[in-house]
Amino acid sequence: MRNSFFGTKGFYVRDKGFFDYKEKGGEHDPIPVPDNAPKPERASKWQRFFKAVRSRNPADLPMSPLDAHHACVHCQIGNIAYRLGRSLEFDPKTEQFKDREANHYLKRNYRKGFEVPNLA
């Protein structure tokens, strides 16, 4: 199984390359990557993570912590909407739903002594 990313002009399959869209049933033509395109680092996510921890250099991270947070929030919002079985309105500034029931899913109930402090 491979990751696929779809755009308006084509799609990308990890370790296979870029392809354009064709009519149904047609073959997909590969889109060549320009020679001057930067090559991605061929390290595992753990190697990149430990490199950033050791260097303490944010530039060694594949993305900023804020970008990672935004990517995860979208998945969580989708899961909560699925669990509730309806569409939800989310306020990105407060990071809260406009629905009191949905807000209960934003944080779990922790066992006594294992609570996560509310820092913000």
Side-chain angles (χ1 to χ4, degrees):
M1 180 165 30
R2 298 191 187 274
N3 291 337
S4 299
F5 304 91
F6 298 88
T8 57
K9 297 181 181 178
F11 61 97
Y12 172 77
V13 179
R14 185 174 177 180
D15 296 330
K16 289 285 189 180
F18 295 90
F19 300 91
D20 67 353
Y21 292 122
K22 286 287 186 187
E23 299 292 325
K24 283 190 175 184
E27 287 292 316
H28 300 289
D29 293 331
I31 300 171
V33 177
D35 291 333
N36 60 351
K39 304 286 186 253
E41 187 177 332
R42 299 301 297 180
S44 74
K45 61 184 171 190
W46 294 110
Q47 289 169 322
R48 292 192 312 264
F49 171 74
F50 288 125
K51 178 182 175 185
V53 169
R54 289 182 185 116
S55 72
R56 296 177 180 229
N57 182 359
D60 288 340
L61 292 168
M63 67 174 57
S64 75
L66 184 60
D67 289 338
H69 168 70
H70 288 153
C72 291
V73 165
H74 286 90
C75 297
Q76 298 300 331
I77 291 171
N79 284 335
I80 293 168
Y82 176 78
R83 286 181 182 188
L84 293 174
R86 64 180 187 271
S87 295
L88 299 169
E89 282 190 59
F90 186 76
D91 182 4
K93 288 187 174 44
T94 63
E95 294 194 352
Q96 297 281 312
F97 291 102
K98 296 180 181 181
D99 180 332
R100 182 171 276 173
E101 182 185 6
N103 284 327
H104 289 290
Y105 287 94
L106 292 175
K107 186 175 178 185
R108 65 175 35 177
N109 295 324
Y110 293 97
R111 289 183 294 160
K112 184 122 178 105
F114 293 92
E115 299 92 353
V116 176
N118 195 4
L119 301 175

